[in-house]
């Protein structure tokens, strides 16, 4: 019978988390925000639409890529701000409460089936954009109400339906 050393487990967990954080921050330093992100968020703001960002990334990495996010959206919840991250619907529901939007009036936009699952579990409409690693087929099969090549195309489609 083997015994587990709780101290060794704790040390291993801390080392693993530090390694993940280092990798995440390095990826953020190499990454950049989509060129259209600020423009779309400003357009939505002018239209009176509340926006929030939820992410499984850490806050520090997000702020490397998008340091002025508060200027462009009303709410932000990284993994550091919630007990359970998406696809747990609580991540999205907390963001909706933060910006005072009811689930029945919300749209979850994401580039991965996890984003679509989160929206469905939270009772909101969903839109998948093919700007990440997921394919159009992946997003459709995950149950997205709308799909688009990217956020620009999605905004145009929602405008054509008088939803924006």
């Amino acid at each position: 019978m083997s015994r587990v050393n709780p101290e060794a487990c704790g040390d291993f967990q801390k080392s693993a988390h530090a390694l993940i954080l280092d990798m995440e921050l390095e990826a953020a330093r190499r990454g950049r925000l989509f060129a259209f992100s600020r423009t779309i968020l400003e357009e939505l703001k002018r239209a009176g639409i509340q926006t929030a960002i939820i992410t499984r990334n850490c806050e520090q990495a997000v702020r490397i890529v998008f340091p002025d996010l508060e200027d462009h959206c009303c709410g932000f919840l990284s993994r550091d701000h919630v007990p359970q991250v998406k696809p747990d619907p609580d991540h999205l529901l907390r963001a909706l409460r933060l910006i005072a939007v009811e689930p029945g009036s919300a749209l979850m936009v994401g580039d991965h089936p996890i984003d679509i699952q989160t929206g469905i579990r939270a009772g909101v409409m969903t839109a998948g954009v093919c700007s990440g690693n997921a394919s159009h087929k992946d997003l459709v099969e995950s149950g997205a109400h709308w799909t688009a090549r990217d956020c620009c195309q999605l905004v145009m489609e929602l405008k054509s339906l008088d939803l924006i």
Side-chain angles (χ1 to χ4, degrees):
M1 179 181 285
S2 65
R3 294 198 167 196
V4 175
N5 178 339
E7 187 175 311
C9 290
D11 290 345
F12 176 78
Q13 186 177 24
K14 285 177 189 173
S15 295
H17 282 282
L19 180 61
I20 290 168
L21 179 62
D22 287 346
M23 292 168 51
E24 188 175 356
L25 295 176
E26 179 57 33
R29 285 188 276 279
R30 289 191 318 264
R32 65 179 186 268
L33 196 62
F34 288 117
F36 53 77
S37 299
R38 287 178 178 89
T39 303
I40 287 176
L41 289 168
E42 284 303 310
E43 185 177 339
L44 294 172
K45 187 187 236 181
R46 281 192 303 275
I49 296 171
Q50 303 279 8
T51 59
I53 295 171
I54 65 170
T55 180
R56 294 163 58 108
N57 291 318
C58 71
E59 179 175 3
Q60 189 177 356
V62 172
R63 291 192 183 278
I64 289 171
V65 176
F66 196 4
D68 57 335
L69 70 92
E70 276 94 357
D71 296 337
H72 301 281
C73 67
C74 304
F76 168 62
L77 294 177
S78 72
R79 73 166 179 251
D80 306 316
H81 303 120
V82 295
Q84 296 293 319
V85 296
K86 60 184 177 170
D88 190 307
D90 185 59
H91 197 168
L92 176 54
L93 294 170
R94 283 175 186 259
L96 292 174
R97 284 191 299 274
L98 184 66
I99 62 172
V101 171
E102 292 296 319
S105 299
L107 174 66
M108 171 68 172
V109 179
D111 64 0
H112 193 278
I114 284 177
D115 300 315
I116 306 307
Q117 294 165 9
T118 303
I120 291 169
R121 290 176 181 171
V124 307
M125 299 295 283
T126 60
V129 291
C130 301
S131 53
N133 293 323
S135 69
H136 179 265
K137 181 180 182 226
D138 294 334
L139 296 167
V140 169
E141 288 178 354
S142 67
H145 296 93
W146 289 278
T147 57
R149 173 183 66 253
D150 57 32
C151 289
C152 294
Q153 182 185 31
L154 176 63
V155 167
M156 287 190 307
E157 183 174 339
L158 295 176
K159 281 182 178 182
S160 75
L161 298 170
D162 288 326
L163 296 173
I164 295 180

